[in-house]
Amino acid sequence: MSKRNTLLRQARKRRIRSRIRGTSARPRLTVYRSLTQMMVQLVDHDEGNTLVAESTKEAKAMLTKDGAEKLGALVAKKAKDAKITTVVFDRNAYKYHGRVQALAEAAREGGLQF
């Protein structure tokens, strides 16, 4: 990725994060997508800790839309076990399209509200 693209992505990320903050009642569901895997975390900024974390590697899922759906369903199940029902979705400067969209819709179907 070129330096310009990296700077633009970082600017989008800062712009999004300035408006989104997770609390203990409504943690931030953040998505990280790389070329080899996808990671999801539920973050509580009040306490400064991660409540739930999952990746396609841990879920033994491929990095495809199907794998993202499996990851979304798994993170929704873990969140239910931790008694979390509502979250704030942080797409982390990625377009709401493809794998990110599939993950979000699967998490919604799994019972998370955002």
Side-chain angles (χ1 to χ4, degrees), residues 23-27 42 83-88 111-114:
T23 62
S24 56
R26 202 168 173 200
L42 290 175
K83 295 183 175 79
I84 299 169
T85 56
T86 59
V87 296
V88 179
L112 287 180
Q113 295 176 350
F114 53 93

Side-chain angles (χ1 to χ4, degrees), residues 13 19 21 25 38 44 49-50 62 82 85 89 91 103 112-113:
K13 183 176 179 174
R19 291 180 253 145
R21 184 166 172 80
M38 199 168 188
D44 174 12
N49 58 5
T50 300
M62 297 294 292
T85 56
F89 186 68
R91 59 186 172 89
L103 180 131
L112 287 180
Q113 295 176 350

Side-chain angles (χ1 to χ4, degrees), residues 33 38 65 91 94-103:
R33 190 189 73 188
M38 199 168 188
K65 277 188 178 182
R91 59 186 172 89
Y94 304 113
K95 289 182 180 179
Y96 187 79
H97 175 76
R99 290 177 282 169
V100 175
Q101 183 179 5
L103 180 131

Side-chain angles (χ1 to χ4, degrees), residues 10 17 29 34 37 44 47 50 66 69 73-74 95 101 105 110:
Q10 288 172 347
R17 284 288 304 279
L29 181 113
S34 74
Q37 63 180 328
D44 174 12
E47 297 294 322
T50 300
D66 294 333
E69 288 172 359
L74 190 60
K95 289 182 180 179
Q101 183 179 5
E105 289 174 357

